[in-house]
Structure formats: structure tokens, C-alpha cells
């Protein structure tokens, strides 16, 4: 604990980054690799052999004994298969440590144990992992020792994507191509590449590991399935507050050090709205690297938490009635010479390239609102979106006063003559005079908010991969840019044409702009009047993947084939059904084997007390008797709900797999889960705390 980290010294020390490559690779090899990183293409085996050798030598110096192709299958987590560097023992009894170019570039893995949505049958189980040299390899040090991790894409034998990375890389190519066309229109000849930048803010909860172990629901489903809210006011307890801070602070310090070593620029951290909830934000990076880094962050938070006797909960909704966790996707477009296409500059109304870019993104989000919503859907996020804490389930765009005013000027007259200014902040304190204000206030309720020089997509769930929403943002923007360029490249009067197009985009798609309170009841009705989709659950969102406009777009820009989309759809339905099935079974088990028996023993204590009171000659209805009666009534209700949930759980398995079964789980099983939870949560407030068989919400959240 006593040691302090020298960030500059340790940052990236376990990453095979550009500095290391320059140091260790022969000049020619380095140049070849850099070229592939920049332009794409294939590395010849000879070059790959040299890189692999140097990578291995470097990794061994860091203590690595194994290497792994590190990939992101559709489970939402990362997967890896460890191979040791050891080759066959030599005659002298020693072993050689080797790692070939072939092993670096390509891996073969049994794809049948990962979700594929019918893309391959188990008898054709071959899957390949392929090195993504645009995301640096790293050495991870943990209880398993040190492992060289090589970021890879994961595809089927026939080349279909089975992972998150492949479509992300494809979508980055698509947006690069179209965004370059767009900047060329404005006379830019210096930029050679446009890359989406992503900063993924990660929210999470921390609970004590010993308490976690006493909650079967957390163990099996990563969220609590029962639990009544603690008394209000407990959160104000300064003593608890102090204790939490020290323990969490020590954890954060260690997590930061681990992340810095892995080249992840963990920058800000703070407490979140809910007790025991925290957030970690890295500095933004290229989308692809940012997606890998977010996976590293999630893994690191978990392993470091364990070392500190805690558990890191990444689930979107670990506790009902308490704010859930999200992952904000901060997204922008940057050229290789450092221009941010979403930077409005000081005079946005005159920045026509920015306004075109903005109008295209507004159009893209309006047209593909359902798809964007889908990209943030997973079973856990169903508890968040639209529940007045996270953004609503309706996609809308917050622009802020200044830009909305520019849009309105354009709508009215095809150009804008001024931009609203921020002015100066008046604190009423003379000595703090002169703090300049942003031209726009923040809006916390918007799912897609313009925040100065980037958009912040706030729907993504805390556990989800950031890749999915990024793929959608990249592709829908690419399509809108493409359509704009097709029109403008052949315009005779470019100035006029671009103004007309910006005006038209604003007029046709301004319905998606909303600066008001997204949590208000009226917004739902207003959005409906505007014709904006309100997709309230995952099962309703998934069909967006295979709607014609989305399939056509993904195929056109080479991001997904229709087959891949169909398979992803299957994977999602399956994932939903499995998740609810596990939750329902866990509920039945916990209620039947832990809670109901505990309450029954308690009723025996009460019954004895009732007899004792009667024996003492008290003629009134005693407290004991009243309690016994009420608890018994709740028990009856709980038992009834339990049987019904059990029955529906069995029925669900008879429904054909896919959409039908997922819908059955959503429509029939989840309400039955709520029906079981209600009496049990009431019982928790009625029985002696000492007989309740698991830690309460209060214990979990306030006594970390
Ligand atoms: P805010 O206060 O709006 O949340 P921050 O500056 O704290 O903004 O940034 C939040 C996240 O957005 C961080 O991860 C940050 O790196 C990222 N970010 C900042 N600028 C950009 C950008 N141009 N593109 C993508 N992400 C960005
Ligand atoms: Mg933010």
C-alpha cells in the first residue's frame, strides 16, 4: 500500500507498442509492419517470423510463459486459449522456447463452443483467430502467471465473423472511405485517414466478496433477484461513507496501476449516483483499440477487486430500485493529421463542413434509430432503458441551445448568420469573476448528446461490448456521408448545393432532435407524435438487425452479410432465453431452498410466542399473532408464485427456439419472476433480520 506509482515510468510497460517495436525490430521489418498497420494488407511469413520471435523474447523478459490469441466472441466477454512457448524437449533434456510467425498470425480454435447462431454446425467446428496488428499485443500478469495476449479477430471456416472485432474493423474501413470523400469536397488534401475515436466510460458496483458469496443470485446471475430497499437515510451515514472510501480508493489505485501498465489510460474515476457505484473513464483512443481497452478494463476491475476481497459487479442492474450501470460511448471522427470532424469551432454557423457532417449524422440517427437502439440491447439493459434513470428507450439527439439555434436558422432560410455565445458565469462572488461558460448546458437525460466535439451515446449497458454500438455509428454515418458525397461531387454550384443539402437534412430529420427532459412522461407522447420508435425491450429490438434498410446498408458497406446478421439475431434470442431461464431457475431455487424454509422456521418461533402469550392470559390479538398471520399470507402467495414460475419455466423449453422462445420468456416468464419477487421482498421486511438467509441490500451497498 505504501508505494506510489510513477505513472510515466510504468505506463505501457507491458505493451508491445510502437516504441518497443522500433527498438527491437529490424528497420525493414518495422517499416513493413507499420505499413500494414496503416494501409492494411498481408504480412509475408518471413516478416511475421521475425516479429513473432522478437515479441516472444520481449514477452519472456516480462515473465511470460504462454501466449494466447485474445478474442471477443459473441458471449460479450473475451476468450483465450493458452499455449506455452515450450517446444519438444531437446536431446540434452532442456526445452526450446519458440513462437513462429504462423502462430502469431493465425490460430485455430474449436468454434463450436462459442455462439454462432447457426453459422456452423458442430461437425464443422473449425474457427480461426487472425492477428489484428492495429491493436498492440500485451503481457498480462495475474494469478495464472504472465501471458502474451495477441488481439485477434475470430471467424468461421467460411470467413463469417463470429466476434465483435471483425465487424468493427470493417466498419472503420467504411467510415474512413466515406469521410475522406467528404473532407476532400472541402479542399482537404492533407488528411489520409479518418478514424472513429471512442472513449468508453465504464460504470460498476463494488461489493464485499464474503457477502457476495452468500448471495446465490449474484453468483449465478450477476444481479440480485430478491431484495427490499434499505431504509432511506442509511446512505447519509458518514461513518460508513468513510470506510467505503478507503477500501475503494485502495482498489482504484491498484486497478489504475494495472491498467497503466497495459497502456490503458485510466484517467478519471469517481463515485456514481448509487451507493457503492463508481465510474472509470479512459482517455479516448481509436475505436478498435478503445474496444480492446474496454475489455481489458472490465477484466482488470474484476481481478483487482478479488485481490482486495471485493467483487466488481458489471451487470447493468445489480439492484432493483437503485440506479443501474451504463457504458457511455463517446464517439468522434478524427483525421490522421489531427482534425476532429465534430469540432464546431468558435463560429459553428460558418463552419459548413461541420454543419454538413452534423446534418448527416442527424439524418443517420433518425433513419436508423431502431438499429442504434438495438446495438445497446442486452438482457441486463432491459432493466435500465426507459426506467427513468438511464436514457429513455427512445432515440433522440441533444444538440444544445447553440447548435439547435443554428439548425433552426438553417431550416428557416438555408443558412445561419450567428451563433449564440456562452457568456460569463456569474457566481455572485467577486473573487471568482470571469469564468467563461460553455455555449451549451449539459443534458443528462438524452441518449445521444452532442458534448462539445463528440457525441455521447449513453444507452450502452455496462457489461456490453462497446464494439456493437460503434459498428452501428460508424456504418450509419458512412452511409449518410456516402449519400451526401454522391450528390455534392456532381453539383455545379458546390456552395449552393451544400447549403441546400444541409437545410434539407435538417428539415427532414429535425424530428429526432430533442433538448428537453427525456425522463418526462410527455416526451413519450411527443415522440410518438413525431413518429420516433420507442422500443422498450431487447426482444422487440432484435428484429431491427434484419430489417431491409439495415441489411442493405450493412451489405453495401461490407460490414455484415445477411447471413451474419441472421446468425447474430439467433445468438441474441438465444442469449436472452438462456439468461432469463437461468434467472428464473435461480429464483425458484433460492426461494424454495433458502428463503421459504427460513421463513417457515421463523413462523414456528412466532407460533410458540403466540401460545406463550395466550397462556399468559392475554385476550387481545397479540403482535406475534398478527405477524404470524401476515407472514403466513405472504408465504401462501410466494408458494403460489413459485409454482407458477416453475411451470412457466418448463413450458418455455417446449417453445421453439429463437424469437418465439425469447418472446415467451419476455412475455410470460419475466412477469412471473416479478410475481415471486414481490411477496418475498415484503417478507424480508417482516421477518427477523437474523433469520433472513442472505445479506440485505443495505449490507451489500453500504457496508462495503
Ligand atoms: P464529459 O465531461 O462530457 O463526460 P470528458 O472529457 O470527461 O467529458 O470525457 C468523457 C470521455 O469522453 C472520456 O473517455 C474522454 O476520453 C472521451 N472523449 C473526449 N474527447 C473525445 C473525442 N473527441 N472523441 C471521443 N471521445 C472523447
Ligand atoms: Mg460523460
Amino acid at each position: 500500500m505504501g508505494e506510489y506509482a510513477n505513472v510515466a515510468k510504468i505506463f505501457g510497460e507491458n505493451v508491445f507498442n510502437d516504441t518497443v517495436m522500433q527498438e527491437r525490430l529490424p528497420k525493414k521489418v518495422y517499416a513493413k509492419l507499420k505499413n500494414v498497420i496503416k494501409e492494411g494488407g498481408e504480412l509475408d511469413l518471413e516478416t511475421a517470423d521475425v516479429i513473432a520471435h522478437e515479441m516472444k523474447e520481449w514477452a519472456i523478459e516480462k515473465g511470460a510463459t504462454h501466449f494466447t490469441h485474445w478474442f471477443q466472441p459473441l458471449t460479450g466477454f473475451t476468450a483465450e486459449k493458452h499455449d506455452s512457448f515450450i517446444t519438444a524437449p531437446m536431446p540434452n533434456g532442456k526445452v526450446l522456447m519458440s513462437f513462429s510467425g504462423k502462430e502469431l498470425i493465425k490460430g485455430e480454435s474449436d468454434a463450436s463452443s462459442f455462439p454462432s447462431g447457426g453459422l456452423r454446425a458442430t461437425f464443422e467446428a473449425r474457427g480461426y483467430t487472425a492477428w489484428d496488428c492495429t491493436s498492440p499485443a500485451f503481457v498480462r500478469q495475474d494469478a495464472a502467471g504472465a501471458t502474451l495476449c495477441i488481439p485477434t479477430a475470430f471467424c468461421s471456416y467460411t470467413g463469417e465473423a463470429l466476434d465483435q472485432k471483425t465487424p468493427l474493423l470493417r466498419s472503420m474501413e467504411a467510415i474512413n472511405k466515406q469521410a475522406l470523400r467528404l473532407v476532400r469536397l472541402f479542399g482537404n488534401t492533407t488528411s489520409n485517414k479518418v478514424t472513429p475515436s471512442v472513449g468508453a466510460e465504464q460504470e460498476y458496483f463494488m461489493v464485499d466478496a464474503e457477502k457476495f458469496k452468500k448471495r446465490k443470485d449474484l453468483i449465478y446471475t450477476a444481479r440480485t433477484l430478491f431484495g427490499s430497499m434499505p431504509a432511506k437515510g442509511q446512505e447519509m451515514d458518514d461513518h460508513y461513507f468513510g470506510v467505503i472510501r478507503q477500501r475503494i480508493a485502495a482498489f482504484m489505485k491498484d486497478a489504475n496501476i494495472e491498467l497503466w501498465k497495459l497502456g490503458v489510460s485510466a484517467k478519471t474515476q469517481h463515485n456514481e449516483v448509487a451507493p457503492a457505484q463508481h465510474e472509470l473513464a479512459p482517455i479516448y483512443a481509436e475505436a478498435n483499440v478503445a474496444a480492446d481497452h474496454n475489455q481489458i478494463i472490465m477484466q482488470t476491475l474484476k481481478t483487482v477487486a478479488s485481490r482486495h476481497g471485493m467483487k466488481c459487479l458489471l451487470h447493468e442492474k445489480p439492484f432493483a430500485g437503485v440506479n443501474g450501470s451504463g457504458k457511455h460511448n463517446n464517439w468522434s471522427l478524427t483525421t490522421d493529421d489531427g482534425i476532429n470532424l465534430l469540432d464546431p469551432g468558435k463560429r459553428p454557423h460558418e463552419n459548413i463542413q461541420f454543419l454538413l457532417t452534423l446534418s448527416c449524422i442527424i439524418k443517420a440517427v433518425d433513419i436508423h434509430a431502431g438499429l442504434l437502439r438495438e446495438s445497446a440491447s442486452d438482457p441486463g439493459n432491459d432493466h435500465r432503458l426507459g426506467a427513468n434513470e438511464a436514457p429513455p428507450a427512445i432515440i433522440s439527439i441533444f444538440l444544445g441551445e447553440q447548435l439547435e439555434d443554428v439548425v433552426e436558422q438553417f431550416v428557416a432560410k438555408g443558412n445561419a448568420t450567428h451563433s449564440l455565445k456562452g457568456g460569463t458565469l456569474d457566481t455572485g462572488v467577486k473573487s471568482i469573476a470571469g469564468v467563461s461558460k460553455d455555449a451549451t448546458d449539459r443534458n443528462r437525460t438524452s441518449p445521444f448528446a452532442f458534448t462539445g466535439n463528440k457525441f455521447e451515446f449513453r444507452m450502452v449497458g455496462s457489461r456490453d461490448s462497446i464494439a456493437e454500438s460503434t459498428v452501428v455509428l460508424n456504418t450509419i454515418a458512412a452511409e449518410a456521408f456516402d449519400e451526401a458525397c454522391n450528390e455534392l461531387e456532381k453539383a455545379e454550384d458546390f456552395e449552393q448545393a451544400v447549403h441546400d443539402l444541409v437545410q434539407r437534412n435538417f428539415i427532414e430529420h429535425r424530428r429526432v432532435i430533442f433538448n428537453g427532459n427525456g425522463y418526462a412522461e410527455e416526451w413519450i407522447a411527443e415522440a410518438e407524435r413525431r413518429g420516433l420508435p420507442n422500443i422498450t425491450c431487447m426482444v422487440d429490438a432484435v428484429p431491427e438487425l434484419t430489417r431491409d434498410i439495415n441489411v442493405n446498408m450493412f451489405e453495401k458497406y461490407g460490414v455484415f452479410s445477411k447471413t451474419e446478421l441472421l446468425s447474430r439475431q439467433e445468438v441474441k434470442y438465444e442469449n436472452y432465453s438462456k439468461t432469463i431461464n437461468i434467472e428464473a431457475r435461480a429464483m425458484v431455487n433460492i426461494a424454495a431452498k433458502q428463503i421459504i424454509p427460513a421463513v417457515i422456521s421463523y413462523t414456528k418461533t412466532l407460533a410458540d410466542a403466540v401460545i406463550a402469550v395466550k397462556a399468559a392470559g392475554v385476550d387481545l390479538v397479540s403482535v406475534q399473532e398478527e405477524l404470524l398471520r401476515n407472514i403466513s399470507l405472504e408465504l401462501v402467495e410466494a408458494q403460489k408464485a413459485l409454482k407458477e414460475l416453475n411451470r412457466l419455466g418448463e413450458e418455455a423449453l417446449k417453445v421453439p427456439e429463437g424469437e418465439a422462445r425469447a418472446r415467451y420468456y419476455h412475455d410470460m416468464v419475466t412477469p412471473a419472476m416479478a410475481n415471486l419477487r414481490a411477496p418475498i421482498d415484503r417478507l424480508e421486511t417482516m421477518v427477523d433480520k437474523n433469520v433472513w438467509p442472505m445479506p440485505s441490500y443495505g449490507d451489500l451497498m453500504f457496508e462495503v
Side-chain angles (χ1 to χ4, degrees):
M1 292 254 173
E3 81 193 71
Y4 295 92
N6 181 341
V7 184
K9 198 162 150 242
I10 61 173
F11 192 82
E13 73 174 25
N14 288 347
V15 185
F16 196 72
N17 57 22
D18 196 62
T19 317
V20 180
M21 289 195 280
Q22 276 198 59
E23 264 168 33
R24 307 191 72 123
L25 298 178
K27 271 210 169 61
K28 258 199 182 144
V29 172
Y30 173 75
K32 268 192 192 161
L33 176 58
K34 277 305 263 193
N35 197 52
V36 174
I37 291 176
K38 227 173 116 205
E39 315 273 339
E42 269 183 47
L43 271 183
D44 57 279
L45 214 52
E46 211 177 309
T47 311
D49 273 332
V50 179
I51 300 169
H53 176 77
E54 289 302 328
M55 215 185 245
K56 175 205 71 186
E57 292 295 303
W58 169 83
I60 287 174
E61 282 168 31
K62 303 268 164 211
T65 50
H66 289 69
F67 69 93
T68 178
H69 275 197
W70 185 78
F71 59 102
Q72 293 159 42
L74 299 176
T75 53
F77 302 106
T78 48
E80 38 197 73
K81 180 180 150 221
H82 294 195
D83 280 303
S84 104
F85 289 124
I86 295 176
T87 48
M90 296 185 296
N92 65 3
K94 303 234 175 223
V95 288
L96 259 182
M97 304 287 264
S98 83
F99 182 46
S100 70
K102 225 175 115 207
E103 287 171 303
L104 166 64
I105 292 182
K106 199 181 89 178
E108 202 187 312
S109 134
D110 177 10
S112 61
S113 15
F114 297 103
S116 80
L119 266 185
R120 28 126 223 85
T122 14
F123 59 87
E124 25 184 53
R126 233 187 259 270
Y128 291 108
T129 49
W131 182 31
D132 166 22
C133 62
T134 62
S135 182
F138 55 94
V139 167
R140 193 187 51 216
Q141 294 157 327
D142 59 18
T147 309
L148 169 64
C149 299
I150 300 150
T152 54
F154 180 44
C155 294
S156 74
Y157 186 69
T158 40
E160 276 110 359
L162 294 174
D163 68 345
Q164 306 284 11
K165 187 189 273 286
T166 308
L168 179 57
L169 292 172
R170 292 173 183 164
S171 74
M172 288 170 73
E173 284 178 21
I175 187 79
N176 173 44
K177 186 167 161 202
Q178 304 305 336
L180 271 182
R181 279 175 75 198
L182 189 138
V183 299
R184 294 278 183 267
L185 284 173
F186 293 88
N188 175 328
T189 51
T190 52
S191 306
N192 292 311
K193 197 170 180 183
V194 177
T195 315
S197 304
V198 165
E201 296 166 77
Q202 179 70 47
E203 291 181 338
Y204 59 93
F205 279 84
M206 294 293 289
V207 297
D208 183 83
E210 288 308 313
K211 297 198 176 90
F212 176 98
K213 282 185 205 149
K214 295 190 181 125
R215 300 260 341 189
K216 300 251 181 272
D217 45 5
L218 283 178
I219 293 173
Y220 291 113
T221 72
R223 75 179 181 101
T224 56
L225 300 168
F226 300 106
S228 66
M229 283 300 287
K232 221 180 166 183
Q234 204 172 344
E235 61 199 293
M236 299 306 205
D237 193 317
D238 286 348
H239 173 67
Y240 285 137
F241 198 65
V243 174
I244 292 171
R245 298 274 26 94
Q246 279 308 299
R247 195 172 181 195
I248 300 285
F251 151 79
M252 281 178 172
K253 184 189 127 187
D254 270 9
N256 281 339
I257 291 174
E258 292 295 314
L259 289 169
W260 289 333
K261 283 190 196 166
L262 293 171
V264 179
S265 51
K267 187 166 158 63
T268 51
Q269 58 198 28
H270 57 80
N271 294 347
E272 267 303 323
V273 188
Q277 191 187 26
H278 309 278
E279 182 191 288
L280 186 148
I283 295 175
Y284 65 96
E286 281 191 12
N288 159 41
V289 173
D292 285 355
H293 280 182
N294 183 248
Q295 294 293 337
I296 294 177
I297 287 175
M298 291 195 287
Q299 274 184 348
T300 305
L301 289 176
K302 287 191 155 183
T303 45
V304 177
S306 298
R307 290 213 299 264
H308 284 252
M310 288 185 283
K311 284 278 177 187
C312 172
L313 307 181
L314 291 169
H315 193 279
E316 284 78 14
K317 194 76 177 175
F319 305 101
V322 174
N323 259 22
S325 299
K327 170 159 15 211
H328 294 175
N329 185 342
N330 292 273
W331 177 87
S332 70
L333 296 168
T334 326
T335 67
D336 57 342
D337 49 354
I339 305 165
N340 177 355
L341 301 189
L342 290 178
D343 184 358
K346 286 218 162 61
R347 299 164 67 82
H349 64 285
E350 288 173 353
N351 187 346
I352 191 71
Q353 179 186 307
F354 167 74
L355 291 173
L356 176 64
T357 308
L358 180 72
S359 78
C360 285
I361 293 170
I362 291 171
K363 169 183 164 182
V365 170
D366 185 30
I367 292 179
H368 296 286
L371 183 65
L372 193 55
R373 163 69 181 83
E374 195 288 325
S375 75
S377 67
D378 75 12
N381 229 9
D382 270 10
H383 301 283
R384 254 180 99 235
L385 298 180
N388 282 7
E389 49 157 284
I394 304 159
I395 294 274
S396 67
I397 302 178
F398 170 81
L399 286 184
E401 255 172 78
Q402 189 189 48
L403 287 183
E404 183 160 36
D405 176 65
V406 171
V407 170
E408 288 312 317
Q409 292 180 55
F410 254 88
V411 166
K413 49 189 177 22
N415 67 14
T417 49
H418 62 272
S419 298
L420 298 178
K421 289 266 172 342
T424 320
L425 190 69
D426 184 8
T427 58
V429 179
K430 283 208 186 74
S431 56
I432 331 181
V435 181
S436 71
K437 257 196 328 195
D438 292 310
T440 295
D441 197 4
R442 283 175 182 276
N443 176 312
R444 290 274 166 222
T445 66
S446 176
F448 195 68
F450 187 74
T451 47
N453 61 0
K454 62 186 191 283
F455 275 103
E456 183 170 349
F457 183 47
R458 302 185 175 130
M459 272 189 178
V460 184
S462 48
R463 208 160 48 149
D464 223 353
S465 161
I466 199 77
E468 252 184 280
S469 56
T470 310
V471 166
V472 170
L473 288 172
N474 293 345
T475 316
I476 64 177
E479 179 189 58
F481 291 171
D482 181 20
E483 284 165 8
C485 292
N486 288 343
E487 194 172 320
L488 296 175
E489 278 165 359
K490 51 176 192 268
E492 274 167 24
D493 180 349
F494 176 74
E495 280 296 313
Q496 189 59 45
V498 72
H499 275 82
D500 289 349
L501 177 56
V502 170
Q503 182 185 32
R504 178 153 40 87
N505 280 346
F506 284 153
I507 290 175
E508 285 173 9
H509 303 288
R510 66 204 273 237
R511 65 173 188 163
V512 75
I513 300 172
F514 177 62
N515 282 342
N517 178 6
Y519 295 172
E521 262 321 297
E522 304 89 75
W523 171 229
I524 295 175
E526 165 69 15
E528 197 178 331
R529 268 195 297 282
R530 295 189 189 187
L532 303 179
N534 182 7
I535 304 174
T536 54
C537 64
M538 172 168 175
V539 182
D540 285 342
V542 173
E544 291 290 328
L545 282 176
T546 49
R547 270 182 61 199
D548 282 348
I549 55 158
N550 297 328
V551 174
N552 294 341
M553 174 187 70
F554 279 132
E555 290 207 314
K556 181 165 181 192
Y557 299 98
V559 175
F560 284 120
S561 66
K562 184 164 188 183
T563 316
E564 287 172 331
L565 289 166
L566 283 165
S567 93
R568 261 155 224 257
Q569 196 165 45
E570 280 316 298
V571 170
K572 294 213 170 192
Y573 285 134
E574 195 181 307
N575 176 17
Y576 184 84
S577 297
K578 282 184 176 162
T579 303
I580 306 298
N581 179 40
I582 293 170
E583 288 183 352
R585 276 173 36 202
M587 275 190 111
V588 167
N589 268 322
I590 294 167
K593 295 190 179 151
Q594 288 189 280
I595 298 175
I596 293 178
V599 177
I600 289 176
S601 330
Y602 184 59
T603 54
K604 173 141 184 354
T605 315
L606 283 174
D608 290 345
V610 171
I611 292 165
V613 172
K614 287 240 157 81
V618 179
D619 213 15
L620 299 164
V621 177
S622 64
V623 175
Q624 290 86 335
E625 200 171 340
E626 191 188 325
L627 249 181
L628 179 58
R629 192 185 144 73
N630 291 343
I631 288 176
S632 302
L633 288 173
E634 296 291 2
L635 267 180
V636 170
E637 190 142 322
Q639 184 65 12
K640 210 172 87 197
L642 179 97
K643 279 199 218 150
E644 181 63 359
L645 180 56
N646 217 353
R647 186 184 74 80
L648 291 169
E650 275 163 25
E651 285 303 309
L653 296 173
K654 297 180 197 154
V655 178
E657 279 182 51
E659 180 170 0
R661 188 180 292 181
R663 282 199 182 280
Y664 189 90
Y665 274 110
H666 178 266
D667 298 346
M668 306 298 289
V669 179
T670 60
M673 287 165 65
N675 287 343
L676 173 57
R677 179 172 183 146
I680 299 263
D681 284 359
R682 284 194 296 270
L683 280 169
E684 190 185 351
T685 66
M686 297 160 87
V687 307
D688 184 344
K689 181 166 171 40
N690 293 321
V691 304
W692 201 252
M694 63 191 79
S696 69
Y697 269 24
D699 299 336
L700 286 166
M701 278 185 277
F702 297 103
E703 297 182 27
V704 188

